[in-house]
Amino acid sequence: MNLSEELEERALRESRALLAREVPGTDFHALCRWLRHGFPRYGWVGVYLLEGGTLHLAGWDGEHPTEHTSIPLGSGLCGLAAREQRTVNVRDVRERPEYLACFLETRSEIVVPIMDGATCLGEIDIDGPQQGAYDASDERFLERLSKELVHRARSVLERAPWRA
Ligand code: SME
C-alpha cells in the first residue's frame, strides 16, 4: 500500500488510543472496523486467537461474515502463519492450494501473527479484492500493530468467548 512512515506512526498512535479507550477483554471488532475504514485496501479485517490448536475469530469487519469462524492450525493461510509464526503475504490467493476461500472477490490476503515472546496468541487476517494489494509497508505496519494487541489478546483468551 506504500504506507508512509508518518501515516504509519499516526495509525499506531490511533490504534493505541482506541485500545486504551475500551474495557480490557473487549473483543477486536472496533479495531477491525477502524482498520477497514482507515485503509481502503483492507477489504475484510479479522483477528483470530489461538486456543487448543484452533484459531477462533475474535472480531471482524467487512461486508460479509466468514464461515471460517474457527480454523484448525493445520488449515489455510491462517493456519500457516500461526504454525510458522511469520507473516504470510499472498499476492494472488488463487495460486495457493492451501487457501481457504471465504469471499468470491478476494485476490490478496495478508496474515500477521500476534506473538507474545515465542508464543503465537493469534493473528490479524486481511483480505482484499486487488491482486498484490499488500507490500512491505503493510507487513511492517501490521507487525508493529500486532505487538500492540498482545495485552488485549491475552485478556480475550482468558475470557474465551467462543466457548460460551
Ligand atoms: N482465507 C483464510 C481463511 C480466513 S478468511 O479469509 C476470513 C485462510 O486461507 O486461512
Side-chain angles (χ1 to χ4, degrees):
M1 165 173 70
N2 222 345
L3 187 70
S4 71
E5 275 180 37
E6 190 190 334
L7 186 60
E8 180 177 323
E9 295 303 330
R10 198 174 73 212
L12 285 165
R13 276 198 307 277
E14 283 180 22
S15 69
R16 280 182 210 120
L18 184 147
L19 290 163
R21 275 199 303 273
E22 292 184 319
V23 174
T26 305
D27 60 29
F28 287 96
H29 286 288
L31 181 93
C32 293
R33 191 163 53 244
W34 169 80
L35 274 172
R36 177 165 171 253
H37 289 280
F39 299 91
R41 289 188 171 216
Y42 294 1
W44 187 93
V45 180
V47 172
Y48 286 91
L49 295 179
L50 180 59
E51 186 196 52
T54 300
L55 291 156
H56 301 273
L57 191 60
W60 66 277
D61 194 65
E63 270 180 41
H64 311 289
T66 175
E67 65 185 90
H68 300 295
T69 54
S70 61
I71 301 175
L73 206 47
S75 300
L77 299 170
C78 287
L80 178 67
R83 266 192 332 272
E84 297 194 352
Q85 305 193 339
R86 64 175 176 89
T87 296
V88 171
N89 184 2
V90 175
R91 290 184 52 78
D92 188 344
V93 293
R94 296 189 291 196
E95 292 172 357
R96 299 295 292 260
E98 69 272 62
Y99 169 67
L100 285 176
C102 289
F103 315 110
L104 277 180
E105 66 272 21
T106 297
R107 291 298 296 279
S108 297
E109 181 160 359
I110 184 168
V111 191
V112 177
I114 300 169
M115 297 301 299
D116 185 6
T119 305
C120 178
L121 299 183
E123 60 198 21
I124 305 167
D125 175 28
I126 299 179
D127 293 21
Q130 308 89 351
Q131 195 174 339
Y134 312 121
D135 63 16
S137 68
D138 296 282
E139 293 176 17
R140 193 188 53 217
F141 165 59
L142 293 168
E143 284 168 7
R144 290 183 69 193
L145 177 67
S146 75
K147 294 187 173 67
E148 306 287 335
L149 306 188
V150 169
H151 189 69
R152 171 69 61 92
R154 279 201 215 115
S155 61
V156 179
L157 277 163
E158 272 171 27
R159 210 164 46 80
W162 45 85
R163 283 196 228 138

